[in-house]
Amino acid sequence: MSQDQWTIVDDYIADLFVPHDPALDAALAASVAAGLPAIQVSPAQGKMLNLLARIQGARNILEIGTLGGYSTIWLARALPADGRLITLEADAKHAEIARANIANAGLADIVELRLGRAIDTLPQLAAEGRGPFDLIFIDADKPGYPAYLDWVVKLSRRGSLIIADNVVRKGEVSNPASADPNVQGVQRFNQLLAADLRVSSTVIQTVGCKGYDGFALGVVIAGQ
Ligand code: SAH
Ligand code: DHB
Ligand code: MG
């Protein structure tokens, strides 16, 4: 089993289940043209996020880490006409490209992009009384994940769905000697999530065109 095979099968899955879509294709093309890193979720993962949001009946979504808005568009499309998605992005250039991609997808009225470091914008959302969010997707800087978890739970209700990307990192997550701050960030995040009595969670490993990684999934079980 190799990266080549994972990519071939991911292409097969995308060809079958993820039809080409003008707004998503344009968002990827604009992100490449602007020199953004191609680290967005894969097409099949984007569709999975969309399905999870629909299964959840989400009306109110929070995303941490926008990049060019690819996952944002997948998630926002799961919302009803009066739904809302707030997405947090620290990089002004990423935010500018994302805003254009989101507008081009016809989602400017549904999506609110907040420019700033999530560790600053999350407390602002709480202070404004925003939330509770039905679904929260964590996908920004990995060393920040542990600190985001507490805010995410504060911005949740019983039944909220928490999804975190990149929590396996080529399997390095199970290496206690890893010196990579990204790996250490998701190790700490997974530990905190597993021990958090307010959330029932697991991690699922994935392979595909983005390599070997995984998602954490949790449902908030504590009242609020
Ligand atoms: N969710 C996107 C990919 C996000 S990549 C998708 O799948 O399409 C991670 C993003 O998090 C990058 O755009 C990066 O600029 C942003 N980021 C990094 N540190 C951050 C921080 N402290 N606060 C908010 N966003 C941050
Ligand atoms: C990488 C992948 C991601 O999904 C992400 O959010 C950040 C980085 C990567 O492969 O480096
Ligand atoms: Mg990611």
Side-chain angles (χ1 to χ4, degrees):
M1 291 294 177
S2 65
Q3 180 60 59
D4 282 352
Q5 179 160 21
W6 301 340
T7 300
I8 288 165
V9 176
D10 226 355
D11 289 346
Y12 158 88
I13 293 167
D15 284 346
L16 270 180
F17 293 99
V18 194
H20 276 286
D21 174 279
L24 287 166
D25 292 349
L28 290 180
S31 299
V32 169
L36 268 50
I39 54 173
Q40 68 281 340
V41 293
S42 70
Q45 291 172 345
K47 179 125 184 216
M48 184 192 75
L49 292 175
N50 178 278
L51 293 173
L52 287 169
R54 285 159 57 186
I55 291 164
Q56 174 72 347
R59 308 178 66 83
N60 203 5
I61 295 176
L62 174 63
E63 175 179 67
I64 309 176
T66 318
L67 191 61
Y70 184 76
S71 57
T72 316
I73 294 170
W74 273 115
L75 285 166
R77 281 184 170 172
L79 290 167
D82 61 345
R84 294 285 287 172
L85 185 152
I86 299 179
T87 185
L88 311 181
E89 174 55 55
D91 184 300
K93 180 180 167 188
H94 296 183
E96 182 190 337
I97 303 298
R99 282 202 174 102
N101 288 337
I102 290 160
N104 184 55
L107 294 165
D109 292 340
I110 285 186
V111 176
E112 177 187 342
L113 191 158
R114 293 213 179 183
L115 179 61
R117 297 186 318 152
I119 203 59
D120 301 322
T121 46
L122 285 165
Q124 283 167 15
L125 291 177
E128 290 169 23
R130 302 300 290 260
F133 295 93
D134 307 311
L135 185 158
I136 300 170
F137 179 46
I138 305 172
D139 193 21
D141 57 309
K142 313 312 162 193
Y145 276 31
Y148 302 152
L149 181 61
D150 209 42
W151 285 109
V152 159
V153 177
K154 283 198 183 90
L155 290 163
S156 294
R157 54 157 172 93
R158 184 196 300 259
S160 291
L161 177 61
I162 298 170
I163 308 168
D165 194 19
N166 311 116
V167 299
V168 173
R169 307 308 296 165
K170 298 186 168 75
E172 268 299 289
V173 73
S174 66
N175 172 11
S178 175
D180 180 337
N182 295 318
V183 173
Q184 291 176 351
V186 298
Q187 285 173 332
R188 185 80 191 121
F189 174 82
N190 287 339
Q191 270 175 359
L192 289 169
L193 182 63
D196 197 321
L197 298 175
R198 301 168 298 179
V199 191
S200 178
S201 321
T202 194
V203 166
I204 290 293
Q205 305 182 74
T206 58
V207 293
C209 61
K210 288 186 73 183
Y212 168 32
D213 214 322
F215 290 95
L217 283 180
V219 65
V220 176
I221 53 176
Q224 295 180 84

